[in-house]
Amino acid sequence: MAALVIIAIASCNTPPTPTPEASSPTPAESGAAADPNSESNLPADEVILQTVYDQVESLDLCNGFYQPEVAQAESRVYRVDDRALVELVCANAAYQSVYAYVAYQPDGSWQPLSLDVFYPDETGQFVRASEGTVGGLTTFDPDQELLTVFSKARGIGDCGSLADYRWSGGELELETFRYQECSNSPGEVVEPADYPQIYP
């Protein structure tokens, strides 16, 4: 893998390792009450997050990059219809964070998700890979059910990648991937939305 893209994944990602599927007790089994503000049978956000926190180390959800105090302060639950997307903030790096994502279903089952990315190989050709964690700056639009990840290759943010993932209720499907190579020569900064499109 090119050093540039390794840096773009927060300088703290490791090659993806197989992540086993897992399921948590259902709300009825755990005795958790449903969130009164939710139209679904999902438990409260705090219960969902605690379920994920309890499994982070045993399932290596963060690929070894786990700061409990960061996770508990910054992780969040995005509810869409009767399902939830858990954004687990594994750790904070110098200028971006490391994330893992979990799908939480109405029956209380949950599954770690993978995100597809592209890496340039030694010939400059882009190779698709699936990662259990991703480094960057993220936004989630619940109306569009769209997760956007801007991964900086260096602190000034003039190069790296920009990816959009569609939340289907069970997985995060890659819709677009853009990539800007870093240059050693100073020049005009390109906005991430204007990076060359690698996929589709």
Side-chain angles (χ1 to χ4, degrees):
M1 297 296 161
L4 174 60
V5 177
I6 294 176
I7 294 172
I9 308 301
S11 301
C12 55
N13 205 355
T14 57
T17 55
T19 306
E21 295 185 4
S23 63
S24 65
T26 64
E29 292 171 343
S30 65
D35 185 345
N37 297 320
S38 173
E39 296 179 356
S40 73
N41 292 323
L42 293 176
D45 290 359
E46 294 78 8
V47 175
I48 294 175
L49 288 171
Q50 190 60 55
T51 299
V52 175
Y53 298 152
D54 290 344
Q55 302 297 323
V56 168
E57 293 187 358
S58 63
L59 296 180
D60 195 19
L61 292 180
C62 292
N63 287 341
F65 300 104
Y66 184 55
Q67 299 170 347
E69 66 284 358
V70 171
Q72 293 177 17
E74 301 182 22
S75 299
R76 60 190 63 90
V77 175
Y78 298 113
R79 293 171 179 264
V80 179
D81 297 325
D82 62 345
R83 290 169 171 77
L85 175 64
V86 180
E87 182 175 77
L88 177 65
V89 184
C90 297
N92 287 332
Y95 44 82
Q96 55 195 354
S97 298
V98 179
Y99 302 87
Y101 290 88
V102 174
Y104 201 99
Q105 306 299 339
D107 63 0
S109 63
W110 60 277
Q111 180 178 349
L113 302 177
S114 295
L115 288 82
D116 285 356
V117 296
F118 282 86
Y119 293 114
D121 63 17
E122 58 277 0
T123 69
Q125 297 297 311
F126 283 89
V127 178
R128 189 167 181 161
S130 185
E131 299 281 1
T133 59
V134 62
L137 306 173
T138 69
T139 57
F140 182 74
D141 182 339
D143 294 329
Q144 298 294 321
E145 301 182 14
L146 194 69
L147 172 70
T148 299
V149 182
F150 170 39
S151 296
K152 294 183 180 183
R154 56 190 177 193
I156 60 175
D158 62 332
C159 52
S161 65
L162 182 71
D164 289 322
Y165 301 88
R166 183 74 59 183
W167 167 238
S168 67
E171 59 184 82
L172 288 165
E173 301 171 350
L174 180 64
E175 287 209 338
T176 59
F177 193 90
R178 298 176 179 275
Y179 177 83
Q180 175 68 45
E181 184 177 359
C182 294
S183 172
N184 292 327
S185 301
E188 184 178 352
V189 175
V190 178
E191 291 296 320
D194 295 326
Y195 287 177
Q197 185 166 317
I198 305 303
Y199 176 87

